[in-house]
Amino acid sequence: QGKDLWFSSKDTISKKYDHRFKDIFQEIFDAEYKEAFGKAGLEYFYTLIDDAVARVIRSRGGYIWACKNYDGDVMSDMISTAFGSLAMMTSVLVSPEGNYEYEAAHGTVTRHYYKWLKGESTSTNPVATIFAWTGALRKRGELDEIPELVEFAEGLEAACIRTIEGGKMTGDLVGLWSGDVPAQKLDSRAFLEAIRDEMEAAA
């Protein structure tokens, strides 16, 4: 069909099982299809399903997506990406026994990490990770009756929101911005420092 081929799974969760699928696909591609793909100017690559979702939403199509592990988690990734940025989504998982897990969307920052390893500046959005931590800290504070911990978690979340509403944000949000003040694209460290400043100003 003359289309690029993507393969995605979630080998961050089923590390050995899903990673074996990745290896099998790569072995078959290298042995049987790599040369033909090259001649046709086509690309095959593997990526985490979270990253594939972010690419899919922003793409114009024209590829074949071999998709493993397409579940509710992926659907929520797609919705959050379509409405703005995957890096703004935190999942809360609750077991029948009443155990809680707070999880940031993950898998989309791999390319940023490789840039950082090279010493390059990144503009990685940490909001989902922060809210995963604040959700867990708030729940811990509620369970252990530590109001100061609950207050800290709520204050950090509010500082994140005020920072973005004040026009200071990471690169993934700049193109979506429609606020009254101009958007400032900050790198990862500067954005965290801006949140810190907001917290200190509210103290």
Side-chain angles (χ1 to χ4, degrees):
Q1 295 184 30
K3 300 185 188 310
D4 291 336
L5 175 61
W6 303 6
F7 173 51
S8 64
S9 72
K10 205 157 198 172
D11 62 346
T12 51
I13 306 300
S14 301
K15 291 181 174 64
K16 291 184 178 179
Y17 182 73
D18 274 14
H19 196 84
R20 184 65 187 128
F21 279 85
K22 173 187 175 183
D23 290 344
I24 291 169
F25 270 57
Q26 192 66 52
E27 289 164 11
I28 293 172
F29 173 75
D30 290 342
E32 301 179 25
Y33 296 99
K34 188 173 184 178
E35 186 178 346
F37 266 59
K39 288 179 180 177
L42 299 176
E43 182 182 20
Y44 164 75
F45 69 90
Y46 169 83
T47 188
L48 287 171
I49 198 160
D50 309 69
D51 184 51
V53 165
R55 292 175 183 238
V56 164
I57 293 296
R58 290 176 171 81
S59 79
R60 299 183 64 84
Y63 51 83
I64 296 170
W65 181 14
C67 184
K68 184 180 181 300
N69 189 255
Y70 189 78
D71 56 14
D73 184 41
V74 176
M75 288 303 298
S76 59
D77 285 357
M78 291 188 107
I79 291 169
S80 63
T81 302
F83 276 89
S85 172
L86 181 59
M88 299 288 282
M89 185 193 82
T90 300
S91 300
V92 182
L93 290 73
V94 185
S95 76
E97 297 78 26
N99 298 313
Y100 288 75
E101 178 185 342
Y102 296 81
E103 178 187 65
H106 50 269
T108 59
V109 298
T110 307
R111 285 168 289 160
H112 290 206
Y113 176 63
Y114 289 139
K115 286 180 64 177
W116 178 80
L117 287 177
K118 294 176 185 176
E120 298 176 20
S121 176
T122 66
S123 186
T124 309
N125 188 337
V127 171
T129 303
I130 292 171
F131 273 62
W133 273 101
T134 54
L137 291 171
R138 180 189 296 103
K139 177 54 68 175
R140 191 74 261 169
E142 292 171 356
L143 293 171
D144 293 344
E145 298 182 357
I146 307 174
E148 296 86 357
L149 188 54
V150 174
E151 183 179 342
F152 170 79
E154 292 176 347
L156 180 50
E157 289 179 358
C160 288
I161 293 168
R162 287 197 307 273
T163 300
I164 295 170
E165 289 180 342
K168 299 175 182 178
M169 63 199 72
T170 46
D172 57 322
L173 300 179
V174 170
L176 306 168
W177 182 245
S178 60
D180 296 328
V181 295
Q184 299 178 48
K185 178 183 174 182
L186 304 179
D187 65 22
S188 305
R189 180 177 291 276
F191 182 66
L192 289 169
E193 289 172 349
I195 294 171
R196 178 200 61 197
D197 294 344
E198 277 291 339
M199 286 198 75
E200 289 178 350

